[in-house]
Amino acid sequence: MPKHIRQQAGSEALHTATGRTHDEWHEVLVAAGASGWKHKQIAEHLVAEHGVDGWWAQGITVDFEQRVQGRQPGQRSDGTFESAVRRTIAGEQLAALELVAASVAERYGEPVARSMTLRTPTIRFKSGDTRVIVDAQQPKASGTSVGITVAKLPTAEALAEAKSWATGVLETCRDGRG
């Protein structure tokens, strides 16, 4: 299961970057009346009114939504869930991408889009509302980091299942059984 945002970016790192801890930002946002605001409005407020870097503003916003608005770990601001898993696969970038995409296609059918000339090429799949993106980063000596992102999942249970499935696909491909 995904971790709460506080487990991913501790208060010490947040304080170093923004001058405040999670709890202090919580107090600032409650005082500003952000309890009923949407994600975008909270993040924009942090940037515009408090000079918070956009990346940190996103984390502060997610933490606030999880504590105050009931947003669950892995849940997007639109209420759906998203899982992302990465593993290093032996081989060159496009070969590793194609290997993983072939395994994804067994479950999701033919890809709906390919962006193969990007620095990080992607292959996209769609099944109903669910979106799957397979990407491959620039290779390193140890191999190519390939990710599977499964988005627009309806429930936390679907998220857990998607994460387990994606992990299995990547482990199989990493072990050369793709």
Side-chain angles (χ1 to χ4, degrees), residues 47-125:
V47 171
E49 299 299 322
H50 300 281
V52 177
D53 174 78
W55 189 86
W56 286 102
Q58 291 298 319
I60 294 164
T61 300
V62 170
D63 177 61
F64 185 76
E65 290 171 327
Q66 288 177 342
R67 289 185 67 197
V68 174
Q69 298 175 342
R71 181 172 171 177
Q72 298 174 49
Q75 189 174 31
R76 308 288 297 176
S77 61
D78 67 0
T80 64
F81 292 81
E82 181 173 305
S83 170
V85 180
R86 299 198 79 73
R87 293 291 185 274
T88 299
I89 308 293
E92 292 302 315
Q93 186 180 33
L94 294 180
L97 176 66
E98 292 288 355
L99 175 67
V100 174
S103 292
V104 171
E106 291 175 14
R107 179 172 182 157
Y108 287 99
E110 290 299 311
V112 296
R114 291 174 172 266
S115 300
M116 305 303 281
T117 58
L118 302 172
R119 179 173 169 80
T120 303
T122 61
I123 300 177
R124 297 173 183 271
F125 299 83

Side-chain angles (χ1 to χ4, degrees), residues 11 13 25 31 52 61 71 81 86-88 109 115 122 129 132 135 137 149 160 169-170 177:
S11 286
W25 281 116
V52 177
T61 300
R71 181 172 171 177
F81 292 81
R86 299 198 79 73
R87 293 291 185 274
T88 299
S115 300
T122 61
D129 290 334
V132 181
D135 72 85
Q137 295 178 349
T149 301
V169 166
L170 290 169
R177 298 174 292 157

